[in-house]
Amino acid sequence: MAATDNGIFNRIGVRPVINGCGVYTDLGGSRFSPAVWQAMEEVNHHFVDLPDLLDAAGQRIADMLSAEAGLVTPGAAAAIMLGSAAVMAGTDGTRSERLPDVSGLKSNVLIQSGHRYKYDRQVTMTGASLVEVGSKNGTRIEQIEEAVDGSTGMILYPAHLEPKAGSVPISEVAGVARSKGVPLFVDAAFMNYPTDVLPGLIEQGADLLAVSAKYFGGPNAGGFIVGCKDLIEAVRNVYFTRYESGDYLKYGRPLKMDRHTVVAVVVAFQEWLARDHDERLASWVTRVGILCDGLSEAGGVSAQPMCFTLDERVVSDPVNCAVLTFDDGGMTPGSLSDALASENPQVLIIPDGERLIIAVDEMSDDEARYVAARITALTT
Ligand SMILES: *Cc1c(COP(=O)(O)O)cnc(C)c1O
């Protein structure tokens, strides 16, 4: 389909987007591969017992990661919420039913002060409380050890913040968690490449691991939680199934999933693990090349191949974006990005101070050509 085919979204009354930002929930996540799309189409012709499907799908994913058990969830944020609820409720249905009333439950979730991040909100949604350990400048392992007490439900660790200065490494936190008998929950939402990172986190001692499907070509509303058998059993106890048909008004009923999405998460993850990632990275280099070549005639703008990371830093590799810098006297980053965003289709790119970043992860080659042509037209 041509980059400028505005069909379905314009008919609904919204402008489509050429995605120069990458994988973002607000832009709808990622693009399905033909195999994922085909699987969803096939699913649409058949019914299945959803609790059975969730168990089987979760086990398939757990097996791929050498984890004991798992469940597909409507995203990593949902997995954090479910994990937080699960460590409080265990396998007790009445506890699942009374959340977010946490009285008498192990409702404190420890987090290193420097690790506070947007998705820790999913912990407090359950009624649990976050307990910060250490200071913004850093935490020591002894402080975590001392902070664990009878009210500690789990330790939350956002894996992408491990490199942050002052962080206690995951393996050391895992040691404390094990010796104190408290679960370690690791948010590894986008740690899917290299593909041995996720099994490595389980090996290091993560008792529960949350992963988002939006970063591996799965549904925007997909993800999974994997980990120890007993904790996944507790997640099942707070999850959405058997609400009407079971004995308890289970906590997680609003976090429901359809069978298409559950299957798509499995198929997309299988594909991700089997994928030729060198080819994927090479296709980005090619696409950034198309973009930069197309911008050679643009006025007052220079484009440089760079890498925009999933935690939003600009580094040199692997190349997945063009960074635009501006000569004085021409368009500014703000005026160009505003002009692109006001078009139909909207072209959305990333503001970065005096620069603009155009990420090609979720672009086709045709779209890269189109974006270069629009910028050239606007700047000359
Ligand atoms: C995107 C993201 C999440 C949430 O994942 P969803 O699948 O969108 O719910 C959680 N943690 C991190 C670090 C993320 O980047």
Side-chain angles (χ1 to χ4, degrees), residues 25 74-78 80 117 119 160 187 189-190 211-215 220 222-223 310:
T25 292
I80 298 166
Y117 74 131
Y119 294 102
H160 61 286
D187 174 0
F190 59 77
V211 176
S212 175
K214 67 182 190 267
Y215 297 119
N220 199 29
L310 288 170

Side-chain angles (χ1 to χ4, degrees), residues 23 38 49 66 81 154 162 170 322 324:
V23 175
Q38 165 65 31
D49 180 82
S66 305
M81 193 174 170
M154 67 181 196
E162 188 178 30
I170 292 172
L324 305 190

Side-chain angles (χ1 to χ4, degrees), residues 15 18 23-24 33 96 105 110 124 131 140 148 170 176 205 275 283 302 310 325 337 341 352 368 376:
R15 284 178 297 147
I18 308 282
V23 175
Y24 283 99
S33 71
S96 174
L105 305 181
L110 306 187
T124 56
V131 176
R140 284 178 291 106
V148 175
I170 292 172
V176 169
R275 196 167 170 179
S283 76
S302 320
L310 288 170
T325 49
S337 62
D352 184 42
T376 304

